[in-house]
């Protein structure tokens, strides 16, 4: 072993076990529910939108935009951008994340309740699986936040996975809707 390897402290991954297990269970439960639940085929509460698909497209677009706020504010908070972090950056990060999550709830509810897990079209299969993964990784991140002693890469990796999942969800739903159906409200 080199001196550098001997000096590096061993990372304790045990505190990460519960958040990752809970996140995996959330993703699995959503997938199982989506598969065994008989889809209703109709939307519930599209409040202000002409139909469910425009509602889903626009709410997902809002969450997608806020995901970029999340990444930017995280980069500023962790000193990865050459700017001084303003005192409100943590508040911006927390509230943009909360709002992004809230925007996804009616979308996920409609997807699971009205449509269920679908696997006959590749785009829809990817969307369904990544949607379950998003809520699983989000759960893991939220449960990991208050834990002390986690490796420094934990939150950036979980946040990056949540961001990536949200981008894939937007690409397989909202972008598809806007380019196939058109821009509607």
């Amino acid at each position: 072993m080199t001196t550098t390897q001997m000096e590096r402290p061993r990372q304790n991954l045990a505190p990460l076990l519960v958040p990752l297990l809970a996140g995996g269970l959330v993703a699995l439960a959503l997938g199982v529910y989506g598969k065994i639940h008989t889809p209703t085929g109709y939307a519930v509460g599209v409040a202000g939108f002409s139909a469910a698909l425009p509602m889903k497209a626009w709410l997902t677009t809002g969450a997608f935009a806020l995901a970029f706020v999340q990444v930017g504010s995280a980069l500023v908070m962790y000193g990865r951008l050459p700017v001084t972090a303003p005192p409100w950056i943590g508040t911006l990060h927390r509230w943009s994340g909360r709002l992004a999550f809230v925007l996804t709830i009616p979308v996920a509810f409609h997807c699971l309740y009205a449509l269920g897990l679908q696997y006959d079209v590749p785009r829809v299969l990817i969307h369904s699986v990544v949607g379950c993964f998003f809520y699983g990784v989000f759960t893991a991140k939220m449960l990991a936040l208050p834990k002390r002693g986690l490796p420094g890469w934990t939150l950036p990796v979980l946040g990056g996975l949540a961001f990536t999942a949200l981008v894939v969800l937007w690409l397989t739903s909202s972008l598809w809707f806007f380019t196939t159906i058109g821009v509607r409200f």
Side-chain angles (χ1 to χ4, degrees), residues 7-159:
E7 292 173 5
R8 197 176 318 150
R10 214 176 132 92
Q11 294 181 337
N12 183 12
L13 298 179
L16 199 54
L17 185 62
V18 169
L20 290 178
L21 184 60
L25 289 173
V26 165
L28 182 64
L30 290 172
V32 168
Y33 175 79
K35 179 68 180 129
I36 65 173
H37 168 70
T38 303
T40 63
Y42 62 88
V44 176
V46 294
F49 293 95
S50 60
L53 286 179
M55 175 208 57
K56 290 170 53 178
W58 285 106
L59 292 180
T60 303
T61 298
F64 175 71
L66 288 167
F68 283 92
V69 174
Q70 284 279 284
V71 170
S73 59
L75 290 172
V76 170
M77 284 188 323
Y78 289 106
R80 300 293 188 215
L81 293 178
V83 296
T84 303
W88 46 262
I89 197 72
T91 303
L92 173 67
H93 186 77
R94 284 187 300 279
W95 280 100
S96 62
R98 290 170 181 158
L99 183 55
F101 179 75
V102 166
L103 290 176
T104 68
I105 293 171
V107 176
F109 177 78
H110 178 267
C111 287
L112 285 170
Y113 184 73
L115 304 174
L117 186 86
Q118 297 181 21
Y119 50 86
D120 51 343
V121 177
R123 176 191 62 81
V124 179
L125 170 64
I126 291 166
H127 183 78
S128 295
V129 170
V130 173
C132 295
F133 175 78
F134 170 77
Y135 281 98
V137 77
F138 180 83
T139 299
K141 183 180 179 216
M142 292 302 104
L143 292 175
L145 272 172
K147 294 207 175 280
R148 300 291 171 235
L150 291 175
W153 52 262
T154 303
L155 294 178
V157 166
L158 292 175

